[in-house]
Amino acid sequence: MKLRVIFVLTIGLFAAALSLGVVRAEQATGKTVWDGVFTVEQAERGAEAYKTSCSECHGGDLMGDGFAPALTGADFQGNWNDLSVGDLFERIRISMPPSGPSSVTPEQKADIVAHLMNVNKYPAGTTELEAKTEALKTIKIELKKP
């Protein structure tokens, strides 16, 4: 009986270690905002959606209004550095705009995130950001290019 328990525990520990290795491998091969994770066209759509749904609080220049935080510059980058694009998307998805988060579709919110990336001088690429938190969690926000 003891041998069976030890065997089961050993298998369980092996499986846990293996899955941890997989998670670390995925993180190691993940993208950053410096890898061109949005397109110019998506950022342009996002600029329009931002103007309609976000600029009232965050300002046309994305600098915030004292209550709503800045979405560009050192404050924005400091707040989001080392987090994921998925974290940013999820915050916007569930709570923005405060008057009615469901008034803006997830696709429009992904476009808005692309606009924020563009304004913050991250490079555009050939693939659009997906409107899926889990996919966006694999993209790290980094203040400086690695």
Side-chain angles (χ1 to χ4, degrees):
M1 182 69 161
K2 286 183 183 180
L3 188 58
R4 187 176 194 177
V5 170
I6 291 171
F7 178 76
V8 169
L9 287 174
T10 302
I11 294 297
L13 289 173
F14 178 76
L18 183 61
S19 69
L20 182 60
V22 169
V23 169
R24 286 195 178 140
E26 286 175 357
Q27 290 172 343
T29 61
K31 293 181 178 182
T32 75
V33 290
W34 294 101
D35 292 323
V37 296
F38 64 92
T39 66
V40 170
E41 295 80 16
Q42 185 178 31
E44 288 171 353
R45 290 192 314 265
E48 287 302 313
Y50 174 89
K51 184 178 178 183
T52 302
S53 302
C54 312
S55 64
E56 183 178 334
C57 295
H58 294 279
D61 60 0
L62 287 79
M63 292 306 294
D65 68 356
F67 179 73
L71 300 175
T72 190
D75 286 344
F76 173 79
Q77 292 174 342
N79 288 335
W80 292 99
N81 188 45
D82 286 332
L83 296 175
S84 74
V85 174
D87 295 325
L88 175 60
F89 174 77
E90 189 64 8
R91 169 79 59 86
I92 293 168
R93 188 188 70 77
I94 64 173
S95 63
M96 295 292 133
S99 60
S102 63
S103 66
V104 181
T105 68
E107 291 75 17
Q108 289 170 313
K109 291 179 180 186
D111 293 349
I112 290 167
V113 171
H115 172 59
L116 300 181
M117 297 292 107
N118 191 49
V119 169
N120 281 284
K121 309 262 188 265
Y122 296 114
T126 58
T127 305
E128 292 193 352
L129 290 173
E130 292 184 58
K132 297 178 183 172
T133 302
E134 289 309 310
L136 298 176
K137 286 240 183 215
T138 65
I139 306 168
K140 186 176 178 184
I141 299 171
E142 292 184 339
L143 180 60
K144 295 182 180 178
K145 190 172 184 175

